Amino acid sequence: MLRLDPNAPEPFGEQLRRGLRRAIAEGDVARGEALPPVRQLAADLGVNLNTVARAYRDLEREGLVRTARGRGTRVVADRDAEPLPATDVRARVRDLLADATLAGYTAREIRRIFHAELERRMA
Amino acid sequence: MSPVFDVLFPALMVVAPAAFTGLWCLWTGVGGLRPLLLATLGTLLAFGAFGLLLGPAWLARPWVRQAWALVPLLALLWGFGVPLLRRATRSLPAPPKAASLRPRTLALFPGAFLWPFAAWAALLAALLLRGATSPWAFLGPALGLAGLVALRPLLRLGLLEPEPLGGPDPGALAEAYARFRLRRTRLMYALMVALALGVSSPGVTFGDAAGGAAGAAAGAAFGALGALLGTWCDAQRYLLRLQLSGAPPPGA
């Protein structure tokens, strides 16, 4: 299930892009499966068509989905495909740690969140 | 038309908004029907007084009959029925911005969009065999064909109806949406195919006076079935929104 938070500081488009990436990474939508049509997802979420279309385009630019006329938008990458270089992952984790620290989280709290998320992913 | 028809047709049309709104209230458990019932009773009394004062000759005039059939219908529907539904729906909390990532399909049987065209071609052949030559004879089949061509796109439009997820049990809600979608699609399919093939049949083109009355009755029956389907769909939408909000179902 994809959920958007109207009270979050991020715009809906960004939340949608992240949510879809997460769904693909966690295998909720497997490689080869279709994402819902833009109109359907926009109607369900109560957001503008362009917001969903832009999120799909961003995912296509990242190489996670491919849109073909008449066949809809399908997932072409999965969690096992084309792993990021380790240095990229480290840099992203450092950025995330910096964000969490600036938001007031202690190292202990961040570790607890990381562990909980990893446990959930591996369950 | 007969004097019975002149009285019965407008009276039924006056009663229709209260009947269908009453059905909606019955299915959803929402109250507040009294103002509509009172307005309907007042309109029926006014219609009765009109008939008694001016006589059956006036009721037999087509424009008088049509005016009594349509004006109160629209006034009662938009003045009382639709506001009741809107008030009830607005009182529910706004749906959360959450959705399933599963694409939806029409889920009809194989050949569901092919056999109606074959049946339509058979009806057209029967019409030609009966010796239809006037272009007007082909108006019904042309309308029927247009209905069959529009069938799939119209049914697909129904798949775009919002299905926001949430509530205490999103999984159960998703299943309830799927059940409703399937039933609505099948009922709309049956109604639209029957209507398209009905207007294409040679009996409609070659109908005599009795055939005309039967056609009018069939048209009224299709209209009533369409209104019934619309009312049922509206009631189901309300009940799904109720389930989404986490409120107990009516009668619980």
Side-chain angles (χ1 to χ4, degrees):
Chain A
M1 187 169 81
L2 186 74
R3 187 185 290 273
L4 304 182
D5 181 3
N7 300 316
E10 275 181 320
F12 284 143
E14 185 55 23
Q15 289 185 47
L16 186 56
R17 193 183 68 80
R18 280 175 187 265
L20 289 168
R21 286 182 98 245
R22 202 178 304 128
I24 293 169
E26 293 179 0
D28 290 346
V29 193
R31 187 186 177 91
E33 282 186 351
L35 290 177
V38 170
R39 283 176 191 277
Q40 178 189 315
L41 197 55
D44 287 357
L45 293 170
V47 298
N48 194 287
L49 281 179
N50 292 328
T51 305
V52 180
R54 204 178 312 122
Y56 278 21
R57 274 201 303 275
D58 288 348
L59 293 178
E60 193 164 13
R61 258 198 296 275
E62 287 183 55
L64 296 178
V65 300
R66 185 171 300 143
T67 304
R69 194 175 291 273
R71 293 194 63 233
T73 302
R74 288 180 182 275
V75 176
V76 290
D78 58 29
R79 51 185 157 181
D80 300 325
E82 296 174 23
L84 282 171
T87 48
D88 278 10
V89 177
R90 281 212 188 87
R92 287 187 188 196
V93 170
R94 265 190 228 116
D95 286 346
L96 187 65
L97 284 173
D99 286 346
T101 307
L102 289 171
Y105 286 88
T106 63
R108 195 183 294 271
E109 285 170 331
I110 296 169
R111 186 167 61 190
R112 192 163 41 78
I113 293 169
F114 256 93
H115 278 172
E117 283 300 311
L118 282 173
E119 290 292 325
R120 195 175 65 81
R121 175 74 63 89
M122 290 187 305
Chain B
M1 295 287 175
S2 72
V4 176
F5 177 81
D6 295 337
V7 174
L8 207 59
F9 174 60
L12 284 176
M13 294 291 268
V14 167
V15 172
F20 285 107
T21 311
L23 262 181
W24 187 87
C25 289
L26 190 73
W27 280 327
T28 57
V30 172
L33 199 60
R34 187 188 292 254
L36 175 57
L37 290 176
L38 288 175
T40 304
L41 189 64
T43 311
L44 279 177
L45 288 174
F47 178 57
F50 179 88
L52 286 174
L53 286 174
L54 296 175
W58 268 82
L59 290 180
R61 295 180 184 190
W63 69 269
V64 173
R65 195 175 54 225
Q66 295 300 334
W68 271 108
L70 289 178
V71 176
L73 173 94
L74 294 174
L76 291 170
L77 191 63
W78 290 99
F80 295 92
V82 173
L84 191 154
L85 267 66
R86 281 194 181 146
R87 263 197 310 276
T89 309
R90 273 203 209 116
S91 68
L92 296 171
K97 291 188 176 298
S100 161
L101 284 175
R102 298 275 155 240
R104 303 195 273 262
T105 57
L106 284 176
L108 288 165
F109 56 90
F113 294 103
L114 283 180
W115 80 263
F117 282 100
W120 177 86
L123 290 172
L124 188 70
L127 186 68
L128 290 170
L129 283 176
R130 283 185 66 172
T133 49
S134 159
W136 289 110
F138 297 96
L139 182 64
L143 288 172
L145 182 63
L148 291 181
V149 168
L151 182 61
R152 191 198 284 258
L154 284 175
L155 290 179
R156 288 194 73 82
L157 268 183
L159 298 182
L160 301 176
E161 190 170 308
E163 295 184 7
L165 288 180
D169 189 351
L173 182 64
E175 280 175 24
Y177 275 131
R179 272 198 306 275
F180 167 54
R181 199 187 323 125
L182 188 64
R183 283 184 194 154
R184 184 188 60 204
T185 303
R186 285 178 179 170
L187 289 170
M188 279 187 70
Y189 171 83
L191 197 66
M192 287 175 70
V193 169
L195 186 61
L197 295 182
V199 296
S200 306
S201 69
V204 172
T205 304
F206 287 101
D208 51 11
F222 270 119
L225 280 175
L228 191 65
L229 177 60
T231 307
W232 178 79
C233 286
D234 274 342
Q236 296 305 307
R237 285 183 194 111
Y238 177 84
L239 290 173
L240 286 163
R241 282 284 306 276
L242 202 67
Q243 190 175 342
L244 179 68
S245 72

